[in-house]
Amino acid sequence: MPDTDDQKGNGLTMPAANASVLSIRADLSGTAMGLATAMRIAGGALIASAAGLLLDRSGATYVLLGTMLASASLALLAALGAAVIERRITKLVSA
């Protein structure tokens, strides 16, 4: 059942991400959505290629888990970085 859990997670996060992309500048919404989709597909392809190169060796289970942990950690760091930037911009605008 891991596939259904993944789909539930995507169902919860993807609409919010798409709405955020589209809400920043309405006049460039098509461009923003295309760029966001391209980045999502390219990121998935990059991670899948890296995992494929690493899984050729023995101990593939641990390598796969390590790849998933690294990917999730990078995503968390990116989200935290975006939150810090958002906070700085909000302080500058309100000051």
Side-chain angles (χ1 to χ4, degrees), residues 21-90:
V21 166
L22 295 174
S23 69
I24 296 176
R25 287 191 52 186
D27 58 327
L28 295 176
S29 62
T31 303
M33 196 63 206
L35 182 60
T37 303
M39 289 173 59
R40 188 177 305 129
I41 291 170
L46 181 68
I47 291 170
S49 296
L53 289 173
L54 295 173
L55 289 175
D56 193 26
R57 302 181 184 127
S58 62
T61 303
Y62 297 114
V63 173
L64 180 60
L65 290 174
T67 304
M68 291 170 66
L69 179 62
S71 174
S73 298
L74 288 173
L76 181 60
L77 284 174
L80 291 173
V84 167
I85 291 171
E86 178 78 19
R87 188 176 305 134
R88 286 182 184 169
I89 290 173
T90 304

